[in-house]
Amino acid sequence: AQKVTQAQTEISVVEKEDVTLDCVYETRDTTYYLFWYKQPPSGELVFLIRRNSFDEQNEISGRYSWNFQKSTSSFNFTITASQVVDSAVYFCALSRPAYNTDKLIFGTGTRLQVFP
Amino acid sequence: ETGVTQTPRHLVMGMTNKKSLKCEQHLGHNAMYWYKQSAKKPLELMFVYNFKEQTENNSVPSRFSPECPNSSHLFLHLHTLQPEDSALYLCASSQDIGEGTGELFFGEGSRLTVL
């Protein structure tokens, strides 16, 4: 079965702190994609990153970085020097391209609150 | 401004009412989706349409009836709903479902309250 677990329900930090959001996934597929989406208070989910199962290189984009480790089935997301605008709910997701669909399996999300 | 527009943003309805949610995408995409977001639960995929054809119905109760007249518009018709159907309903689009790349573009959602 496919499953995404985000054990952290809510995290609160003070501005400029670094924060890591955890994501653990389960799948029997050898080919799959992992994603992070951000949901600000306005409601729409915003795509942040996609990583395919054959690419374990870590990625950095500005203050955001992602650590993909197949050995532990984890795809963690770190925000460096957090800002108030980072406050949102963050979702990790898994897709199964072998099934010819953009069916994403989402975790329950982690609410991040960044205080000034 | 988001490329996916949902109306209404908020809807309150009684269990005997009939209402519809509307979604319009301005991105030239071919696939559209309805997701349900309830508190403390993962987002649930409800329906998928690709080139106006329904490709997935994720065991959704018949009181939810989708309609996709063209690739740019998606409706969710609601009738005889239950209080547990209260949730945020999110519409999304993607280029197509062929490669499963997963990059979806979401609207801001329609917050539904069933009394």
Side-chain angles (χ1 to χ4, degrees), chain A residues 33 35 37 39 42-45 47 50 91 95 97 100-104 106-108, chain B residues 9 33 35 37 42-43 45 56 90 94 96-102 104 106-108:
Chain A
Y33 287 105
F35 307 83
Y37 278 81
Q39 186 178 37
S42 53
E44 82 280 15
L45 274 77
F47 169 86
R50 174 182 64 243
F91 291 93
S95 80
N100 215 33
T101 178
D102 279 320
K103 179 177 178 177
L104 296 185
F106 285 88
T108 50
Chain B
R9 293 294 310 280
Y33 311 76
Y35 277 87
Q37 185 177 19
L43 273 77
L45 178 64
E56 184 143 356
L90 289 161
S94 69
D96 61 49
I97 64 172
E99 294 184 358
T101 58
L104 304 183
F106 284 83
E108 293 180 324

Side-chain angles (χ1 to χ4, degrees), chain A residues 1-96:
Chain A
Q2 283 68 41
K3 186 179 176 183
V4 175
T5 301
Q6 294 179 256
Q8 303 151 308
T9 305
E10 190 161 339
I11 301 175
S12 295
V13 299
V14 177
E15 216 171 11
K16 296 185 184 176
E17 284 186 24
D18 298 346
V19 58
T20 295
L21 310 181
D22 298 332
C23 173
V24 174
Y25 63 93
E26 297 174 30
T27 181
R28 291 185 183 149
D29 294 331
T30 55
T31 302
Y32 52 89
Y33 287 105
L34 294 164
F35 307 83
W36 277 94
Y37 278 81
K38 174 182 179 180
Q39 186 178 37
S42 53
E44 82 280 15
L45 274 77
V46 177
F47 169 86
L48 295 179
I49 189 171
R50 174 182 64 243
R51 173 66 73 225
N52 76 51
S53 51
F54 296 106
D55 183 2
E56 285 194 73
Q57 275 194 327
N58 291 332
E59 179 153 344
I60 298 174
S61 176
R63 296 184 297 107
Y64 295 170
S65 62
W66 291 269
N67 184 343
F68 176 30
Q69 293 197 341
K70 286 179 80 169
S71 60
T72 55
S73 296
S74 66
F75 186 45
N76 296 338
F77 173 30
T78 297
I79 302 175
T80 304
S82 60
Q83 299 176 1
V84 173
V85 294
D86 296 326
S87 297
V89 181
Y90 291 86
F91 291 93
C92 182
L94 169 72
S95 80
R96 309 176 68 188

Side-chain angles (χ1 to χ4, degrees), chain B residues 72-96:
Chain B
S72 298
H73 294 86
L74 184 64
F75 296 88
L76 188 63
H77 303 300
L78 316 168
H79 62 96
T80 324
L81 293 192
Q82 305 297 312
E84 59 265 29
D85 297 322
S86 299
L88 181 68
Y89 289 85
L90 289 161
C91 175
S93 70
S94 69
Q95 186 59 49
D96 61 49

Side-chain angles (χ1 to χ4, degrees), chain B residues 20-71:
Chain B
S20 296
L21 306 181
K22 179 183 175 182
C23 176
E24 183 175 1
Q25 59 96 359
H26 314 276
L27 301 168
H29 289 164
N30 298 310
M32 297 188 76
Y33 311 76
W34 280 115
Y35 277 87
K36 177 183 178 182
Q37 185 177 19
S38 306
K40 311 292 184 189
K41 287 184 168 183
L43 273 77
E44 301 171 55
L45 178 64
M46 300 175 72
F47 301 104
V48 181
Y49 278 82
N50 196 42
F51 291 95
K52 303 188 301 178
E53 299 297 319
Q54 187 179 120
T55 59
E56 184 143 356
N57 175 338
N58 205 23
S59 302
V60 180
S62 59
R63 57 186 184 270
F64 294 92
S65 174
E67 179 190 0
C68 188
N70 54 61
S71 293

